[in-house]
Amino acid sequence: MAFVQGQPGQGGPREPKKLEAGGEEWCDSGLGSLSEGQLVQLQEDGGLGVPEGVPAGCPLTSDPRAPQKSLEEEEEEGRLDSALGGDEEVGDLVEGVGGVHLQSQVGPEAWLRHVLGFVTEDGDTALHLAVIHEHEAFLDSILQYTHGTDYLDIQNDLGQTALHIAVILGASSFVGKLVSAGAGLGVQEKGGHTALHLACREGWRDCAEQLLAPLTVQRPCQRNRFQAQLDCTNYDGYIPLHVAILRKDLGMVSLLISAGSDLNKPELSCGRSPLHLAVESQSPEVVECLLRAGADTEARMYVGYTPMYSAVHRPDQKIPQLLREFGSEEPEWDSEESVDSNSEEEYDDIVINCGH
């Protein structure tokens, strides 16, 4: 199953990540449907400029009675899923927010209704599009009027909010702005992933730091809102810590532990603790990190297996030694007959289903 891949980086927006050919698109919300040149630039006076050739007062959406393009015509234009029609419509949207700032002849309330009421055929709002096209000035203008409102959590047809898309793109500065504006951290997209799940899946540690900021800098007044995302399970039964462990991402695991993630919370399919998952992933570094943080060495799966049992039946012998050093007991099923009789009950489904 294809998924968006990339390497963690520093700072703000990055180039959109490519999808494997023929795979399922995780971010098919208009990504790449428009070039940067189609988004008008911020004028020097701080307002959003009006693109040349776009008359004032143009409607924000196309006329529903106008002839529609065929599928072949759309494919030729290289569009993914965005219903946004081109320079004129993008210009209208940006002009709308500019109109609010520049106090044009059109009342600011009317422009604001137009901009905030805009939705593409894929369910993307103006806020989604500001993130998709990495238009920071447009994003700032929208957030100025939507801070703390439900508008921030509107989901497109893939269940994605603007925050989900910002994380997928690795745009940590956008993530920070949306979090500060009050975007919902517990909203789940079609696979049950929160923004933190996606940050762990993609390896975007800088985005995860933005999502967890009040926990890592100790702001008790906001702790409940941010703590809840650590315990949220996706539709595969994994919390963000499970996802990071399965990715063998030591830095992310350390970050989640420092934020207060439950070291012993089992995943839902067969009751494996984070330590079980680290053993099955064959990552001694992650195993040691969990042990030093206080993970339970005697945690049991639904069938009764401990992490040591899983470790002794896998090739990396550093892991059983680590477990012994931290007080783990030898497995109860130590005879060849017992191993053979229970082998079919062993679970090793450690691959994350990234497409769902």
Side-chain angles (χ1 to χ4, degrees):
M1 189 65 66
F3 58 91
V4 183
Q5 294 180 328
Q7 295 298 324
Q10 299 294 328
R14 299 166 175 78
E15 290 298 320
K17 291 167 280 185
K18 304 298 182 182
L19 295 167
E20 295 178 11
E24 182 173 347
E25 296 177 357
W26 268 93
C27 186
D28 58 345
S29 306
L31 198 59
S33 60
L34 296 175
S35 65
E36 289 187 14
Q38 293 176 304
L39 288 168
V40 296
Q41 301 299 315
L42 184 65
Q43 292 183 337
E44 293 181 359
D45 62 1
L48 291 175
V50 180
E52 295 183 4
V54 179
C58 283
L60 293 181
T61 55
S62 59
D63 187 348
R65 295 169 296 180
Q68 302 297 310
K69 294 182 180 180
S70 67
L71 179 60
E72 291 76 9
E73 290 174 324
E74 291 186 356
E75 290 176 348
E76 289 176 2
E77 293 177 4
R79 296 169 58 189
L80 291 180
D81 279 315
S82 176
L84 209 55
D87 289 339
E88 186 172 345
E89 289 190 16
V90 177
D92 290 339
L93 279 176
V94 179
E95 181 190 1
V97 178
V100 175
H101 287 293
L102 299 176
Q103 298 295 313
S104 66
Q105 294 180 351
V106 180
E109 295 83 3
W111 268 123
L112 194 60
R113 284 196 299 271
H114 277 303
V115 173
L116 300 186
F118 182 88
V119 181
T120 73
E121 63 184 12
D122 302 299
D124 291 314
T125 65
L127 184 61
H128 286 95
L129 297 175
V131 174
I132 290 169
H133 298 292
E134 302 182 3
H135 199 298
E136 190 166 7
F138 193 20
L139 176 71
D140 290 342
S141 296
I142 295 174
L143 293 181
Q144 178 180 350
Y145 297 98
T146 58
H147 190 287
T149 68
D150 292 339
Y151 179 82
L152 300 175
D153 296 332
I154 293 176
Q155 295 169 273
N156 64 16
D157 291 352
L158 296 179
Q160 298 165 330
T161 65
L163 182 60
H164 288 128
I165 295 175
V167 170
I168 291 172
L169 293 175
S172 61
S173 65
F174 282 29
V175 171
K177 288 174 182 287
L178 289 163
V179 171
S180 296
L185 302 177
V187 180
Q188 295 173 282
E189 45 84 91
K190 69 170 187 176
H193 302 297
T194 63
L196 187 56
H197 280 101
L198 295 175
C200 293
R201 190 194 75 187
E202 300 298 328
W204 296 126
R205 185 173 178 181
D206 49 355
C207 289
E209 288 172 347
Q210 295 287 348
L211 294 167
L212 296 168
L215 296 179
T216 56
V217 300
Q218 301 299 315
R219 297 179 190 166
C221 61
Q222 299 186 46
R223 194 168 187 88
N224 290 340
R225 173 185 173 223
F226 285 79
Q227 185 75 36
Q229 63 184 324
L230 293 170
D231 299 324
C232 185
T233 57
N234 62 19
Y235 298 156
D236 293 319
Y238 297 130
I239 61 174
L241 179 60
H242 296 147
V243 177
I245 290 171
L246 294 175
R247 292 299 185 200
K248 304 182 185 181
D249 190 337
L250 181 60
M252 190 73 78
V253 170
S254 299
L255 175 65
L256 293 168
I257 291 174
S258 68
S261 188
D262 189 344
L263 290 171
N264 299 305
K265 186 177 180 66
E267 50 82 30
L268 301 182
S269 64
C270 46
R272 292 168 295 177
S273 70
L275 190 54
H276 281 100
L277 295 174
V279 169
E280 294 182 4
S281 297
Q282 292 289 272
S283 177
E285 296 79 12
V286 174
V287 168
E288 184 173 2
C289 178
L290 291 169
L291 290 171
R292 292 191 181 282
D296 184 6
T297 59
E298 299 304 316
R300 294 182 179 272
M301 298 163 56
Y302 297 153
V303 295
Y305 298 150
T306 64
M308 177 62 85
Y309 179 85
S310 296
V312 297
H313 296 103
R314 286 175 171 79
D316 194 330
Q317 291 307 302
K318 294 179 183 178
I319 294 178
Q321 184 58 36
L322 277 171
L323 292 169
R324 293 185 185 101
E325 291 174 4
F326 282 84
S328 182
E329 299 180 359
E330 295 300 319
E332 298 175 6
W333 299 282
D334 56 1
S335 68
E336 183 177 351
E337 180 179 355
S338 296
V339 171
D340 291 340
S341 64
N342 289 285
S343 60
E344 293 184 358
E345 298 179 19
E346 177 66 274
Y347 293 89
D348 195 17
D349 54 341
I350 67 169
V351 178
I352 304 175
N353 190 340
C354 299
H356 298 283

